[in-house]
Amino acid sequence: MKFLKYAGIVAIILFLFILPVQAFTADSLDITVQNNGNAQIQFGYTLNWMEHMAVYLRIADPADELSRAFENNLQVPVSVEQVNSDSIRVSVDNFAQRSVNKGGGTTMSTPALSFEAAEKVLKQYWFAPLINPDFSPAITTITYPDGYKVKFYNVSNIPKTTHIIP
């Protein structure tokens, strides 16, 4: 009887380690577009205990993967300004396209963004079978220079947006 009790405990522990756990979770993506078309991007995320260990042991670096994902999406250099355990802030030159309208206003367009490539990269790590990453920010907010905001919820592919600033 004692053997069955210990075998059951060992089976439960093994099940917990084999069971995929919620992994990297994208909490928020805030893009602030400046008048000149440059942007500040703040990406908030949550790591599970396994990912914290991978970062601590320098096996994985979410900030590096995220900045690379931005560069691949935008095809322009990304400057990492700040990184901590739950967010990264980057600046991107020429993020939004600008054109002056005949009426005097300015049309600004932000590019589409996709985090599917970053998700594919994460799945190449040795611990990939144990995790279930979510690269869809719970909320994405794009703020234009005049304060106009566009919001998206739980999408990993953010579409191109356009706004006319009077």
Side-chain angles (χ1 to χ4, degrees):
M1 188 66 163
K2 205 174 200 181
F3 173 76
L4 289 176
K5 179 180 176 182
Y6 289 121
I9 291 171
V10 169
I12 290 171
I13 291 171
L14 285 174
F15 178 75
L16 291 174
F17 279 104
I18 294 172
L19 180 71
V21 293
Q22 184 60 38
F24 176 93
T25 303
D27 299 325
S28 63
L29 176 61
D30 296 309
I31 302 170
T32 303
V33 181
Q34 300 166 352
N35 280 325
N36 62 2
N38 295 348
Q40 295 284 323
I41 301 175
Q42 180 85 24
F43 193 94
Y45 52 84
T46 303
L47 302 176
N48 70 14
W49 65 271
M50 186 181 297
E51 292 159 336
H52 276 289
M53 288 301 295
V55 171
Y56 177 75
L57 296 173
R58 300 187 190 276
I59 296 170
D61 182 359
D64 186 45
E65 297 301 335
L66 288 169
S67 62
R68 202 171 311 143
F70 284 124
E71 284 182 349
N72 289 339
N73 270 282
L74 303 172
Q75 301 298 312
V76 295
V78 172
S79 300
V80 177
E81 293 184 343
Q82 181 183 24
V83 177
N84 58 43
S85 64
D86 62 356
S87 69
I88 177 174
R89 186 176 68 225
V90 299
S91 64
V92 181
D93 290 342
N94 303 312
F95 177 79
Q97 292 182 357
R98 301 176 68 238
S99 61
V100 178
N101 303 334
K102 290 181 183 178
T106 302
T107 299
M108 296 190 89
S109 298
T110 64
L113 293 172
S114 174
F115 293 102
E116 290 176 355
E119 192 169 344
K120 287 178 186 174
V121 168
L122 185 61
K123 289 185 178 186
Q124 294 174 1
Y125 287 107
W126 63 268
F127 54 82
L130 302 175
I131 61 175
N132 184 22
D134 179 8
F135 279 87
S136 305
I139 183 167
T140 298
T141 306
I142 301 170
T143 305
Y144 285 90
D146 65 348
Y148 178 78
K149 295 179 188 267
V150 179
K151 294 186 180 195
F152 300 96
Y153 300 92
N154 297 310
V155 293
S156 61
N157 292 307
I158 293 106
K160 174 182 176 177
T161 65
T162 301
H163 175 63
I164 298 172
I165 300 171

